Amino acid sequence: MIQTVSTRPFDGQRPGTSGLRKKVTVFQQPHYLENFVQALFDILPVEVGPLAGQTLVVGGDGRFHNRVAVQTILKMAAANGIGRVMVGRGGLLSTPAASAVIRKHGAYGGIILSASHNPGGPDGDFGIKYNIANGGPAPEKITEALYARTRDITEYRTLDGAADLDLDTLGTTTLAGMTVEVIDPVADYAELMEKLFDFDAMRAWFARGGRMRMDSMCAISGPYARAVIEGLLGAPAGTVVNGEPLEDFGGHHPDPNPAHATELIAAMSGAGAPDFGAASDGDADRNMILGRDFVVTPSDSLALLAAHATKVPGYREGLAGIARSMPTSQAADVVAQALGIPAWETPTGWKFFGNLLDAGKATLCGEESYGTGSNHVREKDGLWAILFWLNLLAATGESVESLVRAHWKRFGRHYYSRHDWEGIPTERADALMAALRAQLPTLAGQRFGALEIAQADDFSYTDPVDGSVSSRQGVRLILAGCSRVVFRLSGTGTEGATLRVYLERFEPADGDHDRPTQDALADLIALADTVAAIRERSGQTAPTVIT
């Protein structure tokens, strides 16, 4: 029986760049998740179209509270007239796999439960976001309508006394007239990968003795990596490590970067290390690429994949364009210019790539935060990027390091780093950005040692497809010679505010490509702190994470 439950709004349910993320304890509050889900069901008929009888995809990365949340959503979906829900076995679906399932089966949309690379467990983080029919994150029109509805919601609908469903057995059942199909979370995704990449060449690479270490960080990529890399490609058992998804990610921070993937970096060091190393994050949409004693930056990875794309079957016909988030280095732009294709610069957030991909204006996309993807889905895709690299190793016979160094020798090197100042009190962070923005009219032409600021602005983006405008997307200081400093507050944390400072320095093709990154960026680091008065205004003495 459908039950209508009275409720009151909760403050702070505005989705960020990747949905709503809060501490698990916040989501465990009575009515908190229900309010958000009902608000979503309330606005979708207005913003998208009739919801009754439609198909939704539901799943998450398996973190703590995932199973409970899936059961709640299923009951509310039935009470709100949804016709069919496809849910991954165990309530599991990686974010890119959810996008693939939505697209393949023509679903109305999907609800994805994840806080991505944020820590899990009872004291960790949880998240929820809605993806539209193209498989991509909901645009701002929908998320803003959703937020507005959370502020005046007074009731939600669920099922009274309905038992939890068995999510561990494949098959179809019904719940108050709604069809619930428990699907293999890997099958559709693996099928898609086989269409894009040369599996025969990759099998041969392993057969010739190629060695790989794939660290799934006790997160959702484990089942996918084992099925594809060890199963379909024949890599030796044990190639995938930390491959069992755990609710607390084994106590680790499932963020594939040098600060948190130290175990993988150590395993990839020394003459006896594997040829290829990779890692993915909590919901499998991010990737980290390594060679033996060699770490590839995400910006270089995107640029290199674009430069070599025609070596991979799915991209044999070439690229329509390359899109990158504004803070990501300009390495991909240089490749796009060489290929004679457009280079698009968007705000941070994968949702901004969706229109470009749907309109055929871009084929590959990437963000500096270890996210890379293409038009095969509408999310960044960690395992896809890893398989792309593996395909290139198999096709060229080169090592990871030799491919990157050859790329620098042809296109130049973009020294790049991100400094995160985490946990700044929100009012301090807002004041810092306000003071920085107040300086913008006077910064152009100012010199700081040998550096001169040529341009200073607050990035604004006009979508070339629908004309929508996104303003105040990050402060940019642009210097001569393609160097940049970018400041923005992150929308993916759950405590305080995180100031991200992005630093980029270009070294030409015939320049010095072997300097330690932080040394090469030292004058830009000093400039950033001077202009923004970071230490003074944040109350912190140093960045908490440097990648």
Side-chain angles (χ1 to χ4, degrees):
M1 179 182 294
I2 295 175
Q3 179 185 24
T4 300
V5 180
S6 296
T7 187
R8 294 184 302 173
F10 289 88
D11 290 334
Q13 287 196 321
R14 170 176 262 145
T17 54
S18 296
L20 179 68
R21 295 181 187 172
K22 302 288 183 182
K23 287 296 182 184
V24 168
T25 50
V26 174
F27 273 97
Q28 287 176 321
Q29 296 175 93
H31 313 307
Y32 189 88
L33 174 63
E34 291 88 344
N35 277 21
F36 190 83
V37 173
Q38 187 63 57
L40 174 65
F41 289 157
D42 285 349
I43 64 97
L44 284 176
V46 177
E47 300 296 334
V48 179
L51 184 60
Q54 298 283 2
T55 296
L56 286 182
V57 174
V58 175
D61 61 15
R63 67 179 58 231
F64 187 84
H65 201 56
N66 188 80
R67 279 182 174 267
V68 173
V70 168
Q71 296 287 357
T72 297
I73 291 166
L74 289 175
K75 293 166 189 172
M76 292 187 67
N80 280 273
I82 305 299
R84 175 187 181 215
V85 171
M86 302 177 70
V87 57
R89 181 173 50 202
L92 301 178
L93 273 175
S94 76
T95 293
S99 181
V101 172
I102 292 168
R103 292 171 62 80
K104 177 179 177 179
H105 296 277
Y108 181 93
I111 296 175
I112 300 174
L113 301 169
S114 175
S116 190
H117 57 292
N118 292 9
D123 299 318
D125 298 340
F126 193 74
I128 180 172
K129 71 173 183 174
Y130 180 72
N131 280 29
I132 59 176
N134 74 350
E140 288 184 333
K141 174 187 174 184
I142 291 177
T143 58
E144 285 302 298
L146 169 56
Y147 173 59
R149 180 60 179 143
T150 67
R151 299 182 68 184
D152 61 16
I153 192 167
T154 59
E155 62 184 30
Y156 63 84
R157 292 182 293 282
T158 187
L159 298 181
D160 184 20
D164 286 351
L165 294 182
D166 174 11
L167 300 179
D168 296 314
T169 303
L170 298 179
T172 301
T173 187
T174 58
L175 178 65
M178 180 182 76
T179 299
V180 179
E181 183 179 354
V182 178
I183 64 171
D184 180 340
V186 177
D188 288 340
Y189 180 85
E191 178 186 81
L192 180 57
M193 294 303 103
E194 285 192 275
K195 294 176 180 177
L196 295 174
F197 299 112
D198 187 342
F199 274 36
D200 288 338
M202 291 188 279
R203 287 189 196 100
W205 186 84
F206 283 114
R208 291 194 302 269
R211 293 188 300 130
M212 176 183 181
R213 184 180 179 92
M214 167 68 195
D215 190 341
S216 287
M217 306 188 88
C218 300
I220 191 63
S221 74
Y224 296 85
R226 282 177 171 163
V228 175
I229 295 172
E230 293 184 1
L232 296 175
L233 298 181
T239 296
V240 179
V241 300
N242 298 316
E244 188 68 29
L246 300 176
E247 289 190 334
D248 65 349
F249 305 119
H252 300 300
H253 192 148
D255 193 354
N257 63 48
H260 298 296
T262 53
E263 179 183 317
L264 177 61
I265 290 176
M268 291 299 298
S269 299
D275 305 288
F276 180 41
S280 191
D281 71 325
D283 65 334
D285 67 350
R286 300 185 181 210
N287 73 93
M288 179 181 179
I289 302 297
L290 303 92
R292 190 178 295 124
D293 291 309
F294 194 86
V295 179
V296 182
T297 70
S299 297
D300 279 347
S301 180
L302 172 64
L304 190 142
L305 297 185
H308 292 275
T310 55
K311 296 182 175 69
V312 173
Y315 308 94
R316 195 83 76 196
E317 301 304 314
L319 307 177
I322 309 170
R324 63 168 176 85
S325 65
M326 180 272 289
T328 301
S329 95
Q330 300 162 100
D333 301 21
V334 180
V335 173
Q337 183 177 23
L339 295 177
I341 59 176
W344 303 98
E345 184 179 41
T346 75
T348 295
W350 206 260
K351 61 189 176 184
F352 292 103
F353 294 141
N355 278 357
L356 296 172
L357 295 170
D358 287 347
K361 292 180 176 293
T363 307
L364 298 188
C365 305
E367 296 182 327
E368 52 71 36
S369 53
Y370 294 85
T372 326
S374 84
N375 58 356
H376 70 291
V377 291
R378 294 299 182 268
E379 289 279 3
K380 48 185 176 277
D381 189 347
L383 186 54
W384 167 89
I386 292 162
L387 292 174
F388 204 131
W389 268 93
L390 185 57
N391 200 152
L392 291 183
L393 297 180
T396 64
E398 299 287 340
S399 69
V400 171
E401 181 176 358
S402 64
L403 281 170
V404 174
R405 289 195 175 279
H407 184 90
W408 292 341
K409 195 167 183 178
R410 178 182 176 190
F411 296 105
R413 179 178 182 183
H414 293 253
Y415 284 99
Y416 187 87
S417 183
R418 189 180 88 190
H419 290 201
D420 289 354
W421 300 72
E422 298 175 322
I424 302 173
T426 302
E427 62 277 6
R428 277 181 171 261
D430 289 342
L432 185 154
M433 290 300 294
L436 189 56
R437 288 185 166 103
Q439 296 182 69
L440 288 176
T442 62
L443 284 174
Q446 288 194 33
R447 297 190 66 87
F448 297 83
L451 301 176
E452 181 175 353
I453 298 176
Q455 177 184 339
D457 63 19
D458 197 348
F459 181 64
S460 180
Y461 176 68
T462 301
D463 190 295
V465 178
D466 64 17
S468 60
V469 177
S470 300
S471 58
R472 295 171 64 88
Q473 294 296 314
V475 171
R476 302 187 299 178
L477 307 182
I478 301 171
L479 298 96
C482 296
S483 295
R484 298 187 306 161
V485 178
V486 174
F487 305 84
R488 60 177 290 273
L489 297 182
S490 170
T492 60
T494 61
E495 289 186 303
T498 296
L499 173 69
R500 302 202 194 283
V501 183
Y502 310 85
L503 306 138
E504 176 182 4
R505 181 184 197 127
F506 178 65
E507 189 71 23
D510 58 354
D512 184 355
H513 300 157
D514 291 307
R515 296 179 64 186
T517 298
Q518 301 306 313
D519 289 352
L521 298 172
D523 52 355
L524 292 173
I525 295 169
L527 181 150
D529 190 36
T530 299
V531 172
I534 299 174
R535 286 169 172 80
E536 174 187 341
R537 292 196 167 103
S538 71
Q540 299 184 1
T541 58
T544 48
V545 177
I546 295 177
T547 55

